[in-house]
Amino acid sequence: MPDGNVYANINAVSLGNIHRDSLLQLIYKEMLTNTAWFKIRDSEPCSDCLFQYLCPSPSNYEAIIGISNLCHVAR
């Protein structure tokens, strides 16, 4: 962001600030908090779908509207 704050997911808490935190610290924090990088479709109804690991990570759009599955295959 223009103020130096770094986000892996813009709807989550900042990972830190590029002006005072090292890149290694920022990456490490994302690995611990998992706001975006390792999100997978492992909850219902996607957990039973054959294609769950081929789908992209859950989107911010899905989080905002409260629907975790916009797919027509798993329904």
Side-chain angles (χ1 to χ4, degrees), residues 1 5-14 35-36 60:
M1 300 305 263
N5 287 336
V6 178
Y7 299 87
N9 178 344
I10 197 68
N11 293 320
V13 178
S14 169
T35 61
N60 287 334

Side-chain angles (χ1 to χ4, degrees), residues 21-37:
D21 302 312
S22 73
L23 184 57
L24 182 61
Q25 289 172 317
L26 297 170
I27 291 172
Y28 183 71
K29 187 167 181 187
E30 171 55 22
M31 299 289 234
L32 291 178
T33 58
N34 188 26
T35 61
W37 287 8

Side-chain angles (χ1 to χ4, degrees), residues 48-63:
D48 297 328
C49 181
L50 177 65
F51 305 107
Q52 80 181 41
Y53 296 110
L54 297 176
C55 287
S57 298
S59 69
N60 287 334
Y61 181 73
E62 291 170 295

